[in-house]
Amino acid sequence: MGDFLVVGAGVAGAAAGYFLSEYGHVTLLEMESAPGYHSTGRSAALFSEYYGNPTVRALTAASRAFLTAPPPGFADGPLLSPRGVLTLCPAGDEDGFAAMLADGLSAPVPVREIDVAGVTRYCPVVRAGRYTRAMVKPGAMDMDVDLLHQGFLRGVRARGGAVVTRARVRGLSRTGGRWRAVTDAGAFAAPVVVNAAGAWADEVAALAGVRPLGLTPLRRTAFMANPPGGADAAGWPMVTDVADTFYVKPESGRLLVSPCDATPVPPCDARPDDLDLALAVERVEEATTLRIRGVRRAWAGLRTTAPDDTPVVGEAPDAPGFVWLAGLGGYGVQTSPAMGRIAAAAATRTPPPADGADPAALSPGRFTAASHITESETFPIRHMATE
């Protein structure tokens, strides 16, 4: 027994569990053999306050303080480190570039347009003369995703919580004011369940008799390649274009490359598609002087979006004690501190943090004609001191 069940122990579920563990006992239920297998472990690992719609950018900004200065003992190294992004404008994409530039000027560290003739000063392999405009996003940062994820999980355990792996939920029902989850690792019960199941979140909702949201899992492909012979790419920015057709980013002494694909797929253990890999090579070689002679390691991950491409965080209007934390759309890692706090507030029915996005913009009730939680009850939650 416990106070909270969290379905999914990726970075979003782990963050929710971390902040919920201040209030009571948390059990994280992870269907794989290790947390973070599908999305968290396959992230591009970039913190960018220029990325996403206004709600997403507000969540990202609200997460910066935690990521810059996490609580004592949370991590044994920095979670963020300098990187920057160089965004290029191919001919014909000038309107999109202008809109991105205008949005980026309001970021905490504003974007800066640069002379397109000087792009090689920022990254020496960009193909000169191919682009009509260029900008830099100096506030974008590399993230140590594993350090962040493990910090959340360690915090849950330190406060007496449990992380249960190989615990795929097979049944979820509510009786007597408690949710009961039947899993491959046994049965667990609590007054509140947080649905942080990623691509499987609608399936978990259906098990509980909760209206699904219409989430769409999207496959994103990436691979590692070697930098040019003898080149030290560590100081290069991430390079992309305004149409989001590719990116190339220094990573662990190599280059992380993606065609920025977003192919709808059913929830699955995503695998890279050969055509997407070929497209990534073609696009990077058109944009730069790089010649990619071999793919060192390729993978694909899932980024699951809500119909309006805005995360869903809040209590289900048709199920008391069922809290959504889903549809993170590739923003989950960089917004995890803010979304974890908002999910914890929804789960405890306490005021949400004042520095994040408007909870109404995140509420699952926005997809229904009217919210209709009619059961008025308080959850038996005890408050624990923050460690």
Side-chain angles (χ1 to χ4, degrees), residues 148-232:
L148 174 66
H149 189 208
Q150 294 304 319
F152 286 138
L153 294 174
R154 188 166 49 249
V156 170
R157 295 185 179 105
R159 293 171 178 154
V163 181
V164 185
T165 56
R166 295 186 174 90
R168 182 165 190 159
V169 175
R170 303 293 182 177
L172 190 56
S173 59
R174 190 170 186 270
T175 56
R178 298 181 71 82
W179 287 96
R180 184 173 185 269
V182 178
T183 81
D184 292 344
F188 303 84
V192 181
V193 62
V194 177
N195 181 10
W200 288 263
D202 268 349
E203 292 186 4
V204 168
L207 289 174
V210 175
R211 184 199 305 269
L213 298 176
L215 301 172
T216 304
L218 304 172
R219 185 181 67 224
R220 172 62 58 93
T221 304
F223 66 86
M224 302 296 290
N226 287 331
D232 180 6

Side-chain angles (χ1 to χ4, degrees), residues 349-361:
R349 293 185 177 171
T350 56
D355 61 348
D358 178 3

Side-chain angles (χ1 to χ4, degrees), residues 5-20 26 28-30 35-41 43 59 63 143 145 148-150 152-153 156 194-199 201 304 311-313 323-344:
L5 301 179
V6 180
V7 182
V11 72
Y18 176 83
F19 292 108
L20 280 171
V26 174
L28 293 173
L29 301 174
E30 170 56 51
Y37 177 80
H38 289 285
S39 296
T40 302
S43 164
L59 289 165
S63 298
M143 297 186 68
V145 177
L148 174 66
H149 189 208
Q150 294 304 319
F152 286 138
L153 294 174
V156 170
V194 177
N195 181 10
T304 301
V312 184
V313 192
V323 175
W324 286 95
L325 178 53
L328 309 185
Y331 315 118
V333 174
Q334 67 175 26
T335 62
S336 56
M339 287 203 289
R341 286 193 178 102
I342 294 170

Side-chain angles (χ1 to χ4, degrees), residues 104-180:
L105 290 173
S106 64
V109 182
V111 299
R112 185 173 72 254
E113 184 166 11
I114 62 171
D115 183 352
V116 72
V119 292
T120 55
R121 294 201 305 271
Y122 294 86
C123 183
V125 297
V126 173
R127 195 176 292 279
R130 181 173 175 80
Y131 299 97
T132 61
R133 300 178 74 178
M135 74 176 87
V136 292
K137 301 175 179 178
M141 309 277 278
D142 276 346
M143 297 186 68
D144 192 323
V145 177
D146 184 63
L147 202 61
L148 174 66
H149 189 208
Q150 294 304 319
F152 286 138
L153 294 174
R154 188 166 49 249
V156 170
R157 295 185 179 105
R159 293 171 178 154
V163 181
V164 185
T165 56
R166 295 186 174 90
R168 182 165 190 159
V169 175
R170 303 293 182 177
L172 190 56
S173 59
R174 190 170 186 270
T175 56
R178 298 181 71 82
W179 287 96
R180 184 173 185 269

Side-chain angles (χ1 to χ4, degrees), residues 3 35 97 234 259 310 325 330 349:
D3 297 307
F97 183 93
T310 299
L325 178 53
R349 293 185 177 171

Side-chain angles (χ1 to χ4, degrees), residues 17 19 28 48 100 113 126 128 139 154 174 214 220 255 274 295 300 307 315 351 363 370 384:
F19 292 108
L28 293 173
S48 174
M100 182 180 290
E113 184 166 11
V126 173
R154 188 166 49 249
R174 190 170 186 270
R220 172 62 58 93
L255 298 175
D274 288 344
V295 172
E315 189 172 12
S363 169
M384 298 173 63

